[in-house]
Amino acid sequence: MLINCAAYQDGRKLADIDIESISDYVARPECFVWVALKDPEPEELAVMKEEFGLHELAIEDAQNGHQRPKIEEYGESMFAVIHTVEMDEAAELLIGEVDVFVGRNYVLSVRRGTRAGFQNVRERCEREPKLLKEGSAFVLYALLDDIVDRYFPIIEAMNSEIEALEDRIFERNDSAASRAIIQELYSLKRRLVILQHHIAPLQEAVGKLTGGRIPSICEGMQAYFRDVYDHLERIVRIIDGRREMVVTAVQVNLGMISLAESEVTKRLGSFAALFAVPTMIAGIYGMNFQSIPELHYKYGYPVCIGVMFLVDCVLFWRFRKANWL
């Protein structure tokens, strides 16, 4: 599906153009063409290949999708694969892909599996004609910057989830609740791993545009791409920190479970001791021997019961003082 197809000159929009006119504007060195496609059919990509003269390997990657985030050079053009991350109502991650073909005087963006579009990026570029005069390199930067900025709300939502789970860990929970917390922590860790899997490679790719051998298309834009790189570096560090927090939270939760089990064990042991002393005394006087002390004493029974009660009272007081009961 064709979303937008427009020609620009000196940072200003000339007009929305037809697909058949793309090659005519591309042939004009003072112009550049920006085309946006959404979930295109192979036939549409074939037309774009002819109009822009795109490399067949890049077209093949765009058709197949599911590529690792990367930025590759094909002669005087570049091909970038950027992953988008969105969160649905169930807090599950939705991964999309944006493929960007960049030449001296054209930009072709192809997005798949993304719910949010990039009309705001086009509007931003058109509001900044001085920067848009840089041509296709600035458009690539604007797309990268917008996609990277969309990562931050996802991370903030996960951070809030971690804090909520940490608060629940220190509440008095039964085994079912503790098990649920561990399951949620594991789910959160899995999503953080997925997020890092789709973001970390992009940091490496953008690093190629900030120093060393810069592609000729991006000359003069290093500072802008470095800003994107810094954001990606910050995001990757945050993800690493959150993963460590989740691992620590799991360990703390397991520790709290062990403490709860220890408390139960102490209580059971205390009650067992309270029953053990009377049982021992009753067992001794229940033996079939004739010469047991005080066996025929008139007040032997109440004295025996009193001793049992007194010993249990002392034990109960000691256990209660030690917070075992």
Side-chain angles (χ1 to χ4, degrees):
M1 180 189 300
L2 178 66
I3 303 299
N4 279 298
C5 182
Y8 298 83
Q9 182 175 343
D10 293 328
R12 306 275 180 189
K13 182 177 179 179
L14 291 178
D16 293 315
I17 62 175
D18 298 327
I19 293 178
E20 294 77 12
S21 305
I22 290 176
S23 56
D24 297 332
Y25 282 91
V26 170
R28 296 164 58 177
E30 71 278 7
C31 295
F32 84 92
V33 177
W34 183 358
V35 180
L37 299 177
K38 179 180 182 297
D39 299 319
E41 298 294 334
E43 295 77 13
E44 293 179 274
L45 288 177
V47 172
M48 294 299 164
K49 177 185 176 183
E50 295 299 324
E51 292 292 328
F52 290 114
L54 304 176
H55 198 281
E56 59 183 12
L57 292 179
I59 287 292
E60 181 180 348
D61 286 346
Q63 286 179 342
N64 296 332
H66 305 290
Q67 300 294 312
R68 186 174 184 268
K70 61 183 179 179
I71 295 178
E72 295 180 337
E73 289 186 75
Y74 293 97
E76 293 296 319
S77 64
M78 291 194 311
F79 174 64
V81 177
I82 315 164
H83 288 179
T84 62
V85 182
E86 297 170 300
M87 187 176 287
D88 63 10
E89 293 75 12
E92 289 296 325
L93 299 181
L94 304 176
I95 306 301
E97 183 176 311
V98 178
D99 302 322
V100 186
F101 300 84
V102 184
R104 278 287 180 188
N105 50 357
Y106 68 82
V107 175
L108 169 62
S109 63
V110 179
R111 63 185 178 96
R112 299 179 185 275
T114 61
R115 296 187 296 183
F118 297 97
Q119 184 61 35
N120 61 316
V121 177
R122 189 179 291 268
E123 293 172 355
R124 170 193 173 185
C125 292
E126 292 176 356
R127 289 195 305 266
E128 301 177 340
K130 291 183 179 180
L131 293 173
L132 192 56
K133 288 176 65 175
E134 297 290 337
S136 55
F138 177 72
V139 175
L140 175 61
Y141 155 75
L143 287 169
L144 279 168
D145 187 54
D146 185 75
I147 293 173
V148 171
D149 285 344
R150 296 182 186 184
Y151 296 151
F152 284 103
I154 305 296
I155 293 175
E156 289 300 321
M158 290 186 176
N159 187 49
S160 299
E161 190 173 349
I162 292 174
E163 292 176 353
L165 287 171
E166 286 178 335
D167 292 338
R168 288 171 55 191
I169 287 174
F170 295 100
E171 296 175 356
R172 297 181 64 88
N173 296 314
D174 55 19
S175 58
S178 298
R179 180 184 179 89
I181 290 173
I182 292 178
Q183 290 177 336
E184 292 180 43
L185 286 170
Y186 180 79
S187 172
L188 184 57
K189 181 181 178 182
R190 177 181 58 82
R191 282 177 280 149
L192 285 169
V193 170
I194 293 173
L195 195 62
Q196 187 176 47
H197 175 74
H198 292 285
I199 294 177
L202 183 60
Q203 180 190 10
E204 178 184 352
V206 174
K208 299 177 182 179
L209 308 179
T210 61
R213 179 186 170 277
I214 304 296
S216 57
I217 299 174
C218 299
E219 289 180 355
M221 293 290 296
Q222 293 96 317
Y224 292 92
F225 289 114
R226 191 176 299 113
D227 179 67
V228 176
Y229 180 85
D230 290 341
H231 287 175
L232 287 168
E233 185 177 31
R234 177 186 170 193
I235 290 171
V236 171
R237 288 181 179 178
I238 291 174
I239 293 174
D240 288 336
R242 297 300 179 266
R243 288 180 63 184
E244 292 178 2
M245 287 177 63
V246 170
V247 172
T248 302
V250 171
Q251 294 174 344
V252 170
N253 191 57
L254 292 175
M256 296 297 291
I257 293 173
S258 298
L259 287 174
E261 291 176 349
S262 177
E263 290 292 327
V264 172
T265 302
K266 288 191 295 185
R267 290 178 182 277
L268 292 176
S270 300
F271 283 113
L274 293 177
F275 283 100
V277 173
T279 302
M280 180 189 69
I281 296 174
I284 291 174
Y285 280 89
M287 294 187 296
N288 295 320
F289 293 104
Q290 293 295 325
S291 57
I292 296 177
E294 311 299 337
L295 183 63
H296 301 288
Y297 181 56
K298 180 180 179 180
Y299 299 104
Y301 176 74
V303 169
C304 186
I305 296 297
V307 170
M308 292 180 187
F309 180 76
L310 180 62
V311 172
D312 272 358
C313 286
V314 172
L315 288 175
F316 182 84
W317 174 73
R318 291 295 300 171
F319 292 149
R320 193 66 177 266
K321 187 176 181 180
N323 291 323
W324 284 27
L325 289 174

